Amino acid sequence: MRILGLETSCDETAAAVVEDGRRILSSVVFSQIDLHALYGGVVPEIASRAHVEACDRVIDEALRQAGLTFDDVDALAVTYGPGLVGALLTGVSCMKGLSYALGKPLIPVNHIEGHIAANFLTHPDLAPPFLCLVVSGGHSHLVYLPDYARYELLGQTRDDAAGEAFDKAARVLGLPYPGGPRLDALAESGDPHFLHLPEPRVEGRYDYSFSGMKTAFLNAVNQLEMRGEGGEKLPKADLAASFRHAVVESLVGKAMLAAKEKKVEKLAMAGGVSANRELRRRMAEECEKAGIPLYMPRLELCGDNGAMIASAAYWRYQRGETADLTLNAVPGLRLV
Ligand code: KG4
Ligand code: ZN
């Protein structure tokens, strides 16, 4: 079964054709980063407009790269939440129109389940049950999959998402948007013990909190600057490494705690932040120690893409979960 998937929830317009939820026939990602960099973050109106302009081209290109036409596609999939309302609406309207015109089923996908499905594309043998740490710009969730397209939420962030925290810390260090990957690169040459950022206590056993760490980081940087150690002399690599260390240890700690207590057999990671080098290294180390196999998406599938949406849609379709033309964008859509 071939599914054409479209993703427009934030600042990537992406389309892909995926066969049977596992095999990528084509994947096209049009990033709007250049359009938003000027403003230091995603501007919703600009994102919606850019999606409108890019949708058709990106879909045509995905079909062309796969050597297919609309006739060869069995179903259409689209992200309908969570995300920016205008951005989501663009994609949902586009795919509703195609579904109506072509008479093909429309499958609604949650952006977070899309991220998780990137693992099915990377690891052909991966099957539920498994635990997945989903870390992106908007989400930090510990999700248990008892089966395909079935989700149980074990924990989540109480405030900022991990990616959001990375982006804000990067901004404090004067790194341009999107800061997460840049902070990660800078941290490689820094001392992670330069600054100690304590992990906050949170109520939920598997919940996260990053807003306190972010504030502590901001205060520490301000103090260094006031002491005259600022400007060019600010030890940016050490600061980046310390912040990354604190966030990563918190992510890894709770994920491993949940994995052990719930006696899960496999652990996976997903979302933009799963590209973080330190997170990948530390998860690999801890899973090796615990004897739990670890699954991570290929780097190009960590961030937003259409293939993950088409893959997630396949498992939903197997359960008969399709949408009709009343489908609407749901900016605050929950996974469960
Ligand atoms: O999954 P994604 O592409 O979009 C959302 O669904 O939010 O995630 C984007 C987030 C951004 O916050 C970005 O800074 C962060 O992922 N990110 C990283 C890295 N690569 C992307 N954060 C830390 N280290 C990285 N290497
Ligand atoms: Zn995402």
Side-chain angles (χ1 to χ4, degrees), residues 78-315:
V78 67
T79 310
Y80 73 112
L84 302 168
V85 65
L88 289 165
L89 262 177
T90 312
V92 168
S93 311
C94 174
M95 286 316 235
K96 282 205 294 193
L98 273 182
S99 166
Y100 180 70
L102 301 170
K104 308 219 179 208
L106 177 63
I107 309 160
V109 174
N110 180 304
H111 185 76
I112 300 170
E113 73 175 327
H115 273 303
I116 298 172
N119 284 290
F120 296 130
L121 297 167
T122 305
H123 309 284
D125 320 319
L126 175 63
F130 61 87
L131 176 68
C132 188
L133 170 66
V134 190
V135 271
S136 72
H139 317 278
S140 303
H141 288 176
L142 271 170
V143 181
Y144 182 69
L145 277 80
D147 200 350
Y148 290 105
R150 288 293 176 264
Y151 310 96
E152 291 167 14
L153 190 59
L154 299 189
Q156 62 184 313
T157 180
R158 292 292 177 126
D159 37 62
D160 290 359
E164 197 179 352
F166 274 125
D167 291 340
K168 287 179 184 164
R171 205 167 169 161
V172 171
L173 294 179
L175 303 174
Y177 164 86
R182 290 187 166 94
L183 185 144
D184 186 22
L186 184 61
E188 289 291 290
S189 60
D191 171 13
H193 303 294
F194 175 77
L195 185 72
H196 177 65
L197 297 164
E199 187 180 0
R201 281 180 195 280
V202 263
E203 237 175 73
R205 193 159 178 75
Y206 309 127
D207 282 349
Y208 293 109
S209 167
F210 298 111
S211 127
M213 271 181 209
K214 183 192 66 192
T215 309
F217 182 74
L218 177 66
N219 290 341
V221 172
N222 283 344
Q223 273 178 15
L224 282 173
E225 279 177 336
M226 277 193 302
R227 272 195 249 139
E229 293 165 32
E232 288 307 304
K233 282 200 228 106
L234 203 62
K236 288 190 181 177
D238 294 338
L239 288 165
S242 301
F243 189 76
R244 182 177 72 169
H245 175 73
V247 172
V248 166
E249 288 314 308
S250 172
L251 290 173
V252 173
K254 296 276 170 73
M256 295 312 296
L257 182 70
K260 287 173 192 165
E261 289 185 351
K262 300 281 175 190
K263 297 189 170 51
V264 302
E265 285 167 22
K266 298 167 221 165
L267 223 161
M269 261 164 40
V273 181
S274 64
N276 187 274
R277 298 170 219 197
E278 177 72 359
L279 181 61
R280 289 173 90 94
R281 285 193 292 259
R282 288 287 297 121
M283 283 292 273
E285 267 173 31
E286 291 304 316
C287 283
E288 165 101 50
K289 261 193 241 163
I292 301 172
L294 173 67
Y295 298 85
M296 301 186 270
R298 276 202 305 278
L299 282 180
E300 69 272 23
L301 292 174
C302 288
D304 293 348
N305 63 84
M308 68 186 203
I309 302 304
S311 170
Y314 175 76
W315 315 107

